[in-house]
Amino acid sequence: MKLILLGAPGAGKGTQAEILSERLNIPTISTGNIIREALKNGTEMGLKAKSFMDAGQLVPDDVVIGIIEERLAKDDCKNGFILDGFPRTVPQAEALDQMGIIIDKAIDIDVADEVIEKRLSGRRVCEKCGASYHIDNKPSAKGDLCEKCGGALVIRKDDRPETIKQRLSVYHEQTEPLEGYYKKAGKLYVVKGEGSVAEITAKVIEAVEA
Ligand code: AMP
């Protein structure tokens, strides 16, 4: 199964991707996590992406398309994958098509902007493994430390209030048109992304199995 999770930053794509990944036994590929990892390792790509990321802007298409092409060529993607945070522009979706990758479904997790703003400002991520938590909705059982690896939980630089607004406006302008792109292809499934994680998961699974 080749799935795309669409939705604004903070819509819960990462959480749902993790759950689906375990259930379907296919990897999740998050361009955001790949870029953050590259940045941590001080690679040229990471450094190039940093200023865009910190400002809440999208990294240029050619950079992320290169990342995804390389990642999807790996062996673990042979039986399918879940894309979290890619594509984010119509040219990125077209690039996937041009690579000959046939997506089964694009599941759009729909959440109102006000809810997103609240969620992102409470988000905490593990600086070691990238696992995501929320101070109210999904606190770590280990307090300020990651449940999975014990790493410190921190606020992402791009989760600062002014950057959140910028990311939402970039989302509406550049990423939302993908809904029309996949609708036209008959692959779009829209799921309301508000409520408990379990409720949203049930709707996402229903869409995957439809
Ligand atoms: P995310 O963790 O998915 O919210 O991504 C964090 C940041 O990484 C975004 O705000 C962008 O700056 C960059 N990024 C991640 N994926 C993409 C993409 N597909 N296209 C452009 N920029 C991206």
Side-chain angles (χ1 to χ4, degrees):
M1 178 84 84
K2 294 179 178 136
L3 296 174
I4 291 174
L5 291 182
L6 290 177
K13 300 189 296 294
T15 304
Q16 293 303 325
E18 263 180 52
I19 295 169
L20 282 180
S21 179
E22 255 184 51
R23 196 181 161 101
L24 303 173
N25 201 21
I26 49 177
T28 285
I29 295 156
S30 151
T31 37
N33 281 350
I34 295 174
I35 297 168
R36 278 184 289 276
E37 189 62 28
L39 188 54
K40 217 162 73 185
N41 295 331
T43 69
E44 200 186 320
M45 182 274 280
L47 295 174
K48 202 168 153 192
K50 181 178 168 26
S51 55
F52 295 100
M53 213 165 172
D54 286 352
Q57 298 284 357
L58 293 184
V59 172
D61 284 338
D62 58 332
V63 176
V64 279
I65 290 168
I67 292 174
I68 218 75
E69 193 161 19
E70 198 178 300
R71 181 63 188 87
L72 294 182
K74 296 207 168 142
D75 253 14
D76 63 339
C77 293
K78 278 205 178 110
N79 296 326
F81 47 77
I82 300 156
L83 295 181
D84 163 18
F86 185 96
R88 255 178 160 104
T89 64
V90 169
Q92 290 178 20
E94 287 167 348
L96 265 186
D97 293 344
Q98 277 153 21
M99 286 174 216
I101 289 167
I102 299 172
I103 292 299
D104 295 296
K105 289 176 181 178
I107 299 174
D108 177 39
I109 307 181
D110 180 36
V111 180
D113 281 11
E114 310 81 73
V115 179
I116 293 279
E117 287 183 38
K118 253 195 217 144
R119 280 194 195 168
L120 288 182
S121 54
R123 178 158 73 177
R124 300 292 180 270
V125 292
C126 172
E127 63 177 3
K128 229 161 123 192
C129 76
S132 190
Y133 298 88
H134 190 279
I135 49 172
D136 302 319
N137 310 333
K138 195 188 168 197
S140 166
K142 291 193 182 162
D144 291 340
L145 300 178
C146 178
E147 283 172 17
K148 295 181 182 157
C149 75
L153 300 186
V154 296
I155 299 177
R156 267 170 52 169
K157 247 188 184 166
D158 55 350
D159 280 345
R160 289 174 299 202
E162 64 281 13
T163 319
I164 291 173
K165 285 223 181 296
Q166 170 64 21
R167 287 166 70 201
L168 274 171
S169 100
V170 165
Y171 166 76
H172 289 303
E173 234 172 75
Q174 301 191 55
T175 307
E176 226 164 30
L178 287 176
E179 291 172 24
Y181 187 89
Y182 288 108
K183 189 169 183 187
K184 215 165 136 194
K187 295 185 176 172
L188 184 74
Y189 293 75
V190 181
V191 161
K192 198 97 201 115
E194 293 171 31
S196 70
V197 171
E199 282 164 348
I200 302 164
T201 302
K203 288 187 267 183
V204 168
I205 289 172
E206 200 180 307
V208 169
E209 289 174 351

